[in-house]
Amino acid sequence: WEEFAAYAFNKSHSTCYSVVAFHTAYLKANYPAEYMASVLTHNMNDIKKVTFFMEECKRMGMAVLGPDVNESQYKFAVNAKGQIRFGLGAVKGVGEGAVEALVEERTEHGSYMSIFDLTKRIDLKATNRRALEGLAHSGALDSFENAHRAVYFYEEGNSTFMEKAVKFGQAYQHSLNSAQVSLFGEGSDESMPEPTIPHVEKWNVLKELSLEKDVVGIYISGHPLDQHKLAITSFNHRSLREFNVMEPRVGMDIRFGGLVTSVAHRMTKTQKPFGVVSIEDYEDSHELAVFGEEYAKFKGYFIEGVSLSIKGTYQKGWGENSPPRFKVMGIEFLSELLEKNTRKITVTIPLSKIDGTMINDLEAMAENYPGKCNLHFKILAKEPRYNIEFRSKKFRIRPEQELIQNIQNGMDLNVELG
């Protein structure tokens, strides 16, 4: 700052910046959750910045929880456990008035116990059905027992369950306001039965996350690529952020993976078909244009909502002075990558950990995932010269992420794919 002040800022200006920098550093170091909640709130309308700062929260080891009608404020806030809770104001279709009414009622009379308790108590003029559906899509109603996100949108008799819940709340409030109570002063609670909660299958993870992103702008409760994380990390996929900023060189081979978010099949000026595919991963997104033989060969993979592993190489550009262009050489579904490319799985076990329980657990896992992949074991003794490796003659298994995670996290053993 001292050197910079000598030629750019006057000293008073530099001093102000240094004071602000120290204040900011102090707040981030001593009140990290409150500081990051404030930063997220000030960038609430810029999804890219919210995503960036949520990654910073992860790096700092702080959880950023999704919206919740029983904890969230309008803005990002810190709960009693020191975790950052997503603000309800960031949910599309839920206005500031609706959130203020919801939070005010919760503050005065306690947490909402169910969707019916919610619709009975909130101002349904300020919080309409559309706002409640946005809350359901975002996961803000997940804390209610006996009801998951799919329940609210189950249709029966030309109306959804959410519509029935809203009508129930309206009828209850109307009855309450009409002062039509019995001789003994009983309210309308007992005389108005709650609608029956339907038994509906849960949405799959991809649908939940997709609808969550539609109303919030980002994935909060998970990411569609989570189920393929092992495949992405095991086969040297570059992140799209790295792919987008790297300096391409002719002959450079690249592999990256991601979720197809949009597909456009088009025609060139000479009436030749080509495709434009948008792909995103955990860090960034990329638009890939595919022409000619590449398009004819791979267009069957370009399906919105699927996860792909794409490998290719940089070739000379179309013109003499054009930069190198990326040519797609191969595409695979990420869901099939592990099984297609893994020949053996090696589980490393320290000799001191081996007992009957461990052996039984490993056998049970192997039986639950039968496949064509060889299962190897590497036994580590106290002295390396006594280490041994052998192949299981009894089991051949299917390399799935769930199995690998169960062995690594559940049994605390190292697993290698080969």
Side-chain angles (χ1 to χ4, degrees), residues 52-227:
F52 174 80
F53 289 118
M54 284 182 68
E55 287 298 318
E56 174 65 3
C57 289
K58 287 181 183 178
R59 187 197 66 78
M60 295 168 67
M62 282 188 300
V64 180
L65 306 178
D68 184 278
V69 291
N70 280 325
E71 261 194 6
S72 293
Q73 307 293 325
Y74 179 76
K75 301 176 180 180
F76 287 83
V78 181
N79 66 14
K81 297 179 180 178
Q83 302 163 315
I84 299 174
R85 180 63 79 170
F86 218 86
L88 294 177
V91 181
K92 289 181 185 177
V94 184
E96 186 170 358
V99 177
E100 286 180 354
L102 187 150
V103 173
E104 184 179 348
E105 168 62 27
R106 185 185 73 203
T107 303
E108 289 182 6
H109 301 106
S111 297
Y112 302 105
M113 305 307 294
S114 68
I115 183 62
F116 305 119
D117 186 39
L118 180 69
T119 57
K120 285 195 298 185
R121 291 167 52 188
I122 61 173
D123 182 356
L124 290 171
K125 293 179 181 178
T127 312
N128 58 22
R129 175 181 59 83
R130 185 184 173 193
L132 289 171
E133 287 178 345
L135 292 174
H137 279 146
S138 72
L141 307 181
D142 286 356
S143 58
F144 294 153
E145 294 182 2
N146 304 321
H148 49 78
R149 299 184 197 186
V151 165
Y152 300 108
F153 301 91
Y154 175 73
E155 289 191 28
E156 188 177 35
N158 297 321
S159 64
T160 64
F161 176 69
M162 182 65 83
E163 289 173 326
K164 291 180 179 179
V166 171
K167 287 178 181 177
F168 168 80
Q170 289 171 336
Y172 174 84
Q173 292 182 17
H174 176 74
S175 176
L176 205 62
N177 294 333
S178 66
Q180 292 180 354
V181 294
S182 72
L183 180 64
F184 300 102
E186 292 172 346
S188 55
D189 265 345
E190 296 180 9
S191 60
M192 190 175 296
E194 297 176 348
T196 303
I197 298 176
H199 294 286
V200 187
E201 281 191 23
K202 283 188 175 184
W203 288 332
N204 61 47
V205 174
L206 288 179
K207 183 172 182 178
E208 272 198 3
L209 291 173
S210 175
L211 292 169
E212 184 179 288
K213 187 178 181 182
D214 284 345
V215 295
V216 181
I218 55 176
Y219 301 114
I220 306 174
S221 59
H223 195 283
L225 293 177
D226 286 345
Q227 58 189 323

Side-chain angles (χ1 to χ4, degrees), residues 221-254:
S221 59
H223 195 283
L225 293 177
D226 286 345
Q227 58 189 323
H228 307 302
K229 186 175 283 189
L230 181 63
I232 292 171
T233 56
S234 298
F235 297 101
N236 299 319
H237 291 81
R238 289 182 182 268
S239 73
L240 286 175
R241 181 181 294 174
E242 182 184 0
F243 178 70
N244 286 335
V245 300
M246 67 170 49
E247 189 69 35
R249 301 189 307 274
V250 173
M252 178 188 291
D253 295 327
I254 302 292

Side-chain angles (χ1 to χ4, degrees), residues 248-251 313-327:
R249 301 189 307 274
V250 173
T313 187
Y314 279 104
Q315 298 185 343
K316 290 183 179 180
W318 299 110
E320 188 173 329
N321 297 318
S322 300
R325 67 182 183 90
F326 182 76
K327 179 180 175 64

